Amino acid sequence: MPYNCIVLVKQVPDTAHVSGKAMKDDGTVNRAALPAIFNPEDLNALEMALQIKDRHGGQVTVLTMGPSRAAEILREALYRGADRAILLSDRAFAGSDTLATSYALKCAVEHLGDYDLVLCGRQAIDGDTAQVGPQVAEKLGLPQITYAESIQSLQDGEIVVQRAFPRGKETVKCTLPCLLTVVSTACPPRPPSVRRMIAYKLAASPLEYPELLKRWPEWETPDALDSYLARRDLKIPLWTTTDIGADEGYLGLEGSPTKVWKVDYVVLETKESKQVPATPEGVSALVKELVQCHVM
């Protein structure tokens, strides 16, 4: 039986290069100051969806909410095997917290319709909240399985998933449709296919047309470029609040109750050190000291 999967992905700032310019005065992330990458655990979620398609058939649709450059990760998803990619972009989305983001994604998923599974990474590395996936499930009225590491069974309208935790694993069964949040220890992401990179290298969203017309002046107008890409299934659809029927009062800063009050930059410096003898007695004494200090 084929299954239709929707994968929610996010382009995130590379937090390995965080600097003092990483935050704006209003408490939102200054994304222009950091390199942008495909959120790591979203790649694991994409791979899980692709493996479902490989085994059972169906379609994998990738959806992201972000500015024009977020189309970069949609192309990467197409290179890796996704069948369809959609960019959700509108000025009304700017400044959305997890509550507003999950509302927009919920509207987009409903607009897509006809799905069996919604997958996303456990959390994004820019916020580390792990809230968006569960909030989308709640707003869609779907059962959810968080911390999904592997799919044990998928048949007869039910899915059996192994969940991973720091101190063990758990196997649960759930009816379809449902939402999964996927952890980093799940199936390693496959590399982009060279064949698909050649096939989709020109894939673009309408927000990218002005820049593309500078490189391809022979197309002269956005409409001509749009027609060319659409005929070859290379147009990445752009959805706005109007397209998904979202209420702008629930989006952006207005629809976001979470506010960043203050950001502190903490530098940890050692002021003293202690040498532990490399003996069983020395290790035992260290462990005892750590336990007494509630370090472990």
Side-chain angles (χ1 to χ4, degrees), residues 30-279:
N30 182 10
R31 300 182 184 277
L34 297 168
I37 61 172
F38 204 124
N39 185 56
E41 288 185 329
D42 292 346
L43 280 174
N44 297 108
L46 173 60
E47 177 61 28
M48 186 173 285
L50 292 174
Q51 289 188 13
I52 292 172
K53 185 182 77 168
D54 292 343
R55 294 169 186 166
H56 304 278
Q59 186 178 57
V60 174
T61 300
V62 177
L63 173 68
T64 192
M65 186 180 95
S68 60
R69 71 172 183 170
E72 295 169 0
I73 64 168
L74 294 179
R75 278 188 289 276
E76 186 172 347
L78 292 170
Y79 298 159
R80 293 173 186 266
D83 300 291
R84 187 183 181 195
I86 298 170
L87 175 62
L88 190 60
S89 190
D90 195 307
R91 293 183 64 87
F93 299 140
S96 293
D97 67 357
T98 61
L99 192 68
T101 297
S102 61
Y103 169 70
L105 293 174
K106 168 259 187 188
C107 292
V109 170
E110 287 182 333
H111 188 62
L112 272 169
D114 188 26
Y115 60 87
D116 301 290
L117 286 160
V118 179
L119 303 95
C120 59
R122 173 181 59 101
Q123 65 185 40
I125 61 173
D126 56 350
D128 286 338
T129 64
Q131 293 175 353
V132 171
Q135 287 177 350
V136 171
E138 178 69 19
K139 289 178 170 65
L140 287 170
L142 294 178
Q144 59 182 288
I145 302 176
T146 55
Y147 294 83
E149 185 175 53
S150 64
I151 296 176
Q152 306 294 304
S153 172
L154 181 57
Q155 59 183 355
D156 301 326
E158 292 184 333
I159 186 171
V160 178
V161 173
Q162 179 175 280
R163 307 174 72 206
F165 302 102
R167 297 189 179 183
K169 299 182 185 295
E170 179 182 77
T171 301
V172 297
K173 179 189 292 186
C174 182
T175 57
L176 301 179
C178 72
L179 182 145
L180 309 181
T181 71
V182 182
V183 296
S184 60
T185 52
C187 33
R190 67 189 67 186
S193 160
V194 174
R195 188 180 299 274
R196 293 183 68 89
M197 289 177 71
I198 294 172
Y200 289 102
K201 67 179 181 179
L202 300 181
S205 77
L207 291 179
E208 299 175 292
Y209 289 179
E211 189 61 33
L212 292 178
L213 286 171
K214 295 178 183 178
R215 293 161 46 192
W216 305 335
E218 62 271 22
W219 294 115
E220 297 183 354
T221 66
D223 288 342
L225 178 58
D226 185 86
S227 177
Y228 173 84
L229 295 177
R231 288 198 306 270
R232 290 160 176 78
D233 291 327
L234 295 174
K235 178 181 177 179
I236 296 176
L238 170 66
W239 288 359
T240 65
T241 55
T242 302
D243 295 314
I244 62 175
D247 184 337
E248 292 192 12
Y250 293 104
L251 299 170
L253 291 173
E254 182 181 353
S256 301
T258 306
K259 309 295 180 185
V260 176
W261 177 252
K262 183 181 179 183
V263 177
D264 288 326
Y265 299 93
V266 179
V267 178
L268 300 179
E269 297 179 353
T270 179
K271 295 183 178 179
E272 60 181 51
S273 62
K274 180 177 181 179
Q275 187 171 354
V276 178
T279 62

